Amino acid sequence: MRQLAQVFLTLALLACCGQVASAAWTWETQVLSSPYHDFRLFHFQLGVTWPVQDQLSLALKLPVQLGVEPSGPRLELLPAQGSVAFSWPLREELTSELALELGVRREQLALRGGVKLVFDPLALKCSLLIQEEVTLQAGVAFAANERWALGAHLSYRKNSLLTYELHHSTAGARQLTFSYTQALDGSVQSLGVKITF
């Protein structure tokens, strides 16, 4: 009960700060399953990002996890995560990014650095993530028009992940992203929805 009160207090503070700083809010839902295990994992996450300057932004994420197993459901409030991201243009179409992700647990500490290249209607991204193990991330996105885009992303590591995305932008600057992710060894797959407003 105490953890639930802390979450609601944090959300209230975020709502006040978010209005002052004109923050961007995100809501993410992800359902994970495996053909080898009889379980389903529902992951929910509320996030807020503050643009401090043109190149600097701060973010906070509050995740909740619901596991559905044969023994019954199990709800878990996960520790909040924060991140600091810094990006700067190298050329007109080339941007670099450096991000530090922080959390209460040691495994939440991560450092990511990479570059993004935009040639309309294509965007290419490549980065290196250091979090317990080193992961090479690469992605490509194709904008079909002003509102729709398709993307594919690969996280190359011990158990590599391939993600397909469908993006939709509305006139009110809201963004909706549908994603499907699968481990290349077939051990896990997930469906996700992300709303940015």
Side-chain angles (χ1 to χ4, degrees):
M1 209 52 177
R2 185 178 174 186
Q3 285 182 330
L4 196 57
Q6 290 175 347
V7 168
F8 283 121
L9 179 61
T10 305
L11 289 176
L13 289 172
L14 286 176
C16 295
C17 294
Q19 290 176 354
V20 173
S22 65
W25 291 82
T26 59
W27 172 258
E28 295 181 60
T29 303
Q30 195 173 22
V31 182
L32 292 96
S33 63
S34 171
Y36 305 115
H37 303 284
D38 189 16
F39 83 98
R40 275 215 164 91
L41 193 61
F42 296 85
H43 188 82
F44 307 97
Q45 185 168 270
L46 178 66
V48 60
T49 302
W50 292 279
V52 179
Q53 294 178 348
D54 289 341
Q55 288 89 18
L56 181 67
S57 65
L58 303 175
L60 182 63
K61 297 176 183 177
L62 301 171
V64 177
Q65 195 165 273
L66 174 65
V68 179
E69 302 174 0
S71 59
R74 181 177 44 98
L75 182 65
E76 186 180 0
L77 299 174
L78 301 176
Q81 296 173 284
S83 66
V84 179
F86 182 71
S87 63
W88 64 96
L90 299 174
R91 295 176 62 186
E92 185 178 344
E93 65 280 344
L94 186 64
T95 305
S96 59
E97 182 186 54
L98 183 65
L100 176 65
E101 298 176 9
L102 305 167
V104 178
R105 298 176 181 170
R106 184 180 171 187
E107 60 267 18
Q108 291 177 312
L109 180 64
L111 180 65
R112 186 180 70 249
V115 292
K116 182 178 180 180
L117 184 63
V118 178
F119 285 112
D120 195 29
L122 281 177
L124 304 171
K125 192 171 186 179
C126 184
S127 61
L128 197 63
L129 174 69
I130 302 172
Q131 183 180 25
E132 293 189 326
E133 62 177 302
V134 178
T135 303
L136 177 64
Q137 299 177 324
V140 60
F142 171 76
N145 54 38
E146 293 179 352
R147 301 206 174 202
W148 293 94
L150 298 171
H153 307 276
L154 175 66
S155 293
Y156 185 76
R157 56 184 189 181
K158 188 176 180 181
N159 186 12
S160 298
L161 299 173
L162 182 60
T163 302
Y164 302 98
E165 292 181 339
L166 174 64
H167 302 271
H168 177 63
S169 300
T170 64
R174 290 183 184 167
Q175 294 182 350
L176 182 63
T177 303
F178 298 97
S179 64
Y180 171 73
T181 302
Q182 65 174 4
L184 294 185
D185 66 357
S187 61
V188 69
Q189 61 184 1
S190 71
L191 287 172
V193 177
K194 180 179 177 181
I195 303 171
T196 303
F197 51 95

